[in-house]
């Protein structure tokens, strides 16, 4: 299947608006927008391959940005530069083709489903890699081992794809390449790794993506210091990822409210043996999510023991976790759903947090300053502080 005649995108309002705003240049739509359109999914990220180098296509970028009331930004270093124009509604990236022919541009991409081209604005759809067939079969197939090796971040995109799009499986040969190349991920920029992992754990099917990432060795090599990690623990608790994504399946839905991405991130960090917030700063996750997730991940095992102990131990785990307690409780209760008794324990602990969590996290002073002065017979000042 080389060229498919179709009307897939001739009437797409967003694409036509963007193309007109650019000044109607010769260009090709590719990547996720085209793939998702074929899958019947909504997408607002538009990738366009444009003939010329980064300077030659600058005028198109600035023209579109001006029409949208925003600015165009040049990202990357030559020869791998891109112009990005972003609004609250959508994002456009203009990729200069430079000296690449259309065929070379297609063949350099990661997976066949991402290597389709639509000749903007009227088509046709160009498929030189059987990408449409792979989409119909829900198969994720890498174009070559070398394409994966050249950019190790692409290794993570396989599991991320499984976590975000329903029904896909990774082709057997592609799985072999990813498994073989997994150690290459250790040299990839942590910021880009963090971006892919965030998309994975926040996908609609995170357990499927995480399971693939574990089996392919990627969770180990994505970690701050590489192996060893505790992927056996993650494998045994992988279903918790889905419970943390869907409140209807979570034993204590209220604990998920206001935790953002932190509980799902804490699941990953526990598999990484609970690194400190400073150790994961390079991943560029939201600072608050990162801090809460790291604190919660470090207390998972202690919380599991505490919930089965006396009241004082349950109070102590609330005090120790502080503001991270909702994240911790959301995670540990999603991990431990083996019996009604276990769920009841976590619900009892959550009610305790609702009743007196604020006082346990920031307990009032046992004595006022005036009472201390009266007891020890000192005046206000350094002596009072010491007392």
């Amino acid at each position: 299947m080389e060229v498919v005649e179709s009307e897939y995108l001739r009437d797409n309002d967003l694409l036509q608006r963007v193309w007109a705003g650019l000044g109607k240049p010769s260009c090709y739509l590719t990547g996720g927008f085209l793939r998702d359109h074929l899958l019947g999914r909504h997408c607002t990220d538009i990738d366009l391959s444009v003939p010329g180098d980064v300077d030659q296509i600058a005028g198109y970028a600035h023209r579109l940005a001006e029409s949208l009331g925003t600015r165009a930004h040049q990202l990357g270093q030559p020869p791998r530069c891109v112009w990005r124009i972003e609004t609250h509604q959508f994002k456009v990236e203009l990729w200069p083709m430079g000296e690449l022919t259309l065929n070379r541009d297609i063949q350099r991409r990661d997976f066949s489903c991402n290597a389709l081209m639509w000749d903007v604005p009227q088509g046709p759809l160009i498929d030189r890699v059987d990408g449409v067939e792979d989409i119909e079969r829900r198969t994720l197939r890498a174009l070559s081992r070398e394409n994966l090796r050249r950019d190790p971040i692409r290794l993570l995109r396989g599991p991320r794809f499984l976590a975000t799009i329903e029904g896909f499986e990774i082709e057997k040969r592609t799985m072999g390449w990813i498994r073989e190349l997994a150690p290459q991920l250790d040299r990839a920029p942590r910021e880009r790794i963090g971006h892919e992992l965030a998309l994975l754990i926040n996908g609609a099917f995170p357990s499927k993506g995480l399971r693939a990432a574990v089996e392919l060795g990627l969770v180990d090599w994505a970690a701050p210091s590489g192996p060893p990690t505790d992927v056996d623990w993650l494998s045994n608790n992988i279903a918790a990822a889905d419970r943390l994504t869907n409140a209807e399946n979570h034993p204590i839905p209220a604990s998920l409210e206001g935790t953002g991405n932190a509980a799902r991130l804490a699941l990953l960090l526990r598999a990484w043996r609970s690194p400190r917030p400073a150790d994961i700063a390079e991943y560029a996750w939201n600072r608050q999510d990162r801090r809460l997730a790291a604190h919660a991940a470090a207390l998972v095992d202690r919380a599991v023991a505490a919930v089965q102990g006396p009241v004082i131990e349950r109070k102590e785990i609330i005090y120790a976790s502080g503001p991270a307690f909702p994240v911790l409780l959301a995670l540990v209760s999603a991990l431990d759903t083996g019996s009604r008794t276990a769920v009841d324990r976590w619900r009892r602990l959550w009610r305790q947090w609702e009743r007196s969590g604020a006082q346990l996290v920031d307990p009032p002073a046992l004595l006022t300053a005036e009472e201390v002065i009266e007891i020890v017979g000192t005046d206000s000042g350094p002596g009072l502080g010491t007392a």
Side-chain angles (χ1 to χ4, degrees):
M1 183 185 302
E2 184 169 338
V3 177
V4 178
E5 296 292 345
S6 172
E7 296 183 0
Y8 285 125
L9 290 157
R10 290 176 184 170
D11 299 323
N12 186 276
D13 292 338
L14 178 57
L15 179 61
Q16 299 298 327
R17 175 187 172 194
V18 166
W19 181 66
L22 290 168
K24 301 184 176 181
S26 172
C27 60
Y28 300 93
L29 174 71
T30 188
F33 189 93
L34 177 52
R35 177 201 67 223
D36 285 357
H37 188 84
L38 298 179
L39 285 166
R41 288 164 46 91
H42 180 66
C43 183
T44 56
D45 290 353
I46 297 178
D47 293 334
L48 296 169
S49 284
V50 187
D53 60 31
V54 68
D55 294 326
Q56 290 170 330
I57 69 174
Y60 301 136
H62 291 301
R63 178 171 179 166
L64 176 61
E66 185 176 355
S67 72
L68 297 172
T70 186
R71 297 180 62 185
H73 300 278
Q74 181 182 324
L75 307 177
Q77 298 295 326
R80 300 184 66 180
C81 290
V82 58
W83 284 102
R84 178 179 293 174
I85 306 97
E86 194 164 5
T87 72
H88 292 298
Q89 290 77 37
F90 59 89
K91 179 179 70 177
V92 179
E93 290 189 345
L94 305 181
W95 292 84
M97 293 176 67
E99 298 180 356
L100 290 175
T101 63
L102 178 61
N103 192 58
R104 286 179 59 197
D105 193 8
I106 291 171
Q107 294 296 333
R108 71 184 178 88
R109 297 182 178 273
D110 51 7
F111 303 103
S112 61
C113 61
N114 295 331
L116 304 170
M117 296 280 186
W118 173 266
D119 193 347
V120 182
Q122 295 298 308
L125 177 66
I126 303 169
D127 180 6
R128 298 178 179 173
V129 293
D130 290 336
V132 171
E133 183 178 341
D134 284 338
I135 288 176
E136 291 173 346
R137 295 187 303 159
R138 299 299 192 266
T139 298
L140 191 64
R141 177 173 58 87
L143 294 188
S144 73
R145 179 186 183 280
E146 177 60 20
N147 287 5
L148 298 177
R149 187 202 64 79
R150 190 179 298 117
D151 184 1
I153 289 297
R154 292 175 167 179
L155 304 173
L156 272 176
R157 287 182 188 158
R160 186 257 282 184
F161 204 93
L162 302 187
T164 53
I165 303 182
E166 187 175 14
F168 269 75
E169 300 294 340
I170 303 175
E171 178 219 31
K172 185 176 180 180
R173 184 172 65 167
T174 298
M175 288 187 66
W177 286 339
I178 294 175
R179 186 178 290 109
E180 178 187 350
L181 293 170
Q184 297 292 319
L185 195 60
D186 193 41
R187 63 180 177 85
R190 260 39 195 171
E191 181 177 357
R192 295 183 66 200
I193 290 178
H195 176 71
E196 290 295 329
L197 288 174
L199 292 174
L200 191 160
I201 62 176
N202 293 308
F205 316 100
S207 68
K208 186 173 182 179
L210 281 172
R211 185 174 290 107
V214 168
E215 291 175 354
L216 295 171
L218 298 173
V219 172
D220 276 337
W221 292 103
S225 56
T229 57
D230 198 355
V231 292
D232 287 340
W233 178 89
L234 182 58
S235 296
N236 292 333
N237 292 283
I238 208 86
D242 289 339
R243 298 189 192 105
L244 292 169
T245 300
N246 187 349
E248 293 181 0
N249 296 328
H250 194 280
I252 310 176
S255 67
L256 288 175
E257 296 177 7
T259 59
N261 301 327
R264 291 183 289 275
L265 182 56
L267 177 69
L268 175 64
L269 297 185
R270 170 60 182 80
W272 284 353
R273 301 188 185 276
S274 308
R276 299 172 303 167
D279 295 332
I280 54 175
E282 291 182 316
Y283 291 79
W285 291 313
N286 175 276
R287 184 177 181 181
Q288 178 76 349
D289 287 346
R290 186 173 75 233
R291 184 177 63 82
L292 293 176
H295 192 38
L299 292 171
V300 165
D301 298 326
R302 181 175 168 185
V304 170
V307 77
Q308 302 178 53
V311 173
I312 187 62
E313 291 186 15
R314 298 198 294 271
K315 289 183 177 181
E316 285 178 352
I317 196 62
I318 293 176
Y319 175 75
S321 55
F325 179 78
V327 175
L328 174 63
L329 194 283
L331 174 56
V332 292
S333 60
L335 296 173
D336 186 10
T337 59
S339 68
R340 181 58 183 263
T341 301
V343 173
D344 286 344
R345 288 193 189 111
W346 293 118
R347 288 175 177 165
R348 186 166 62 245
L349 184 57
W350 179 251
R351 289 194 295 270
Q352 189 171 353
W353 162 262
E354 291 181 314
R355 287 194 309 270
S356 55
Q359 290 184 329
L360 291 171
V361 168
D362 187 19
L366 296 178
L367 297 171
T368 66
E370 290 75 15
E371 289 171 326
V372 173
I373 290 174
E374 182 178 350
I375 291 171
V376 301
T378 185
D379 294 327
S380 60
L384 175 60
T386 301

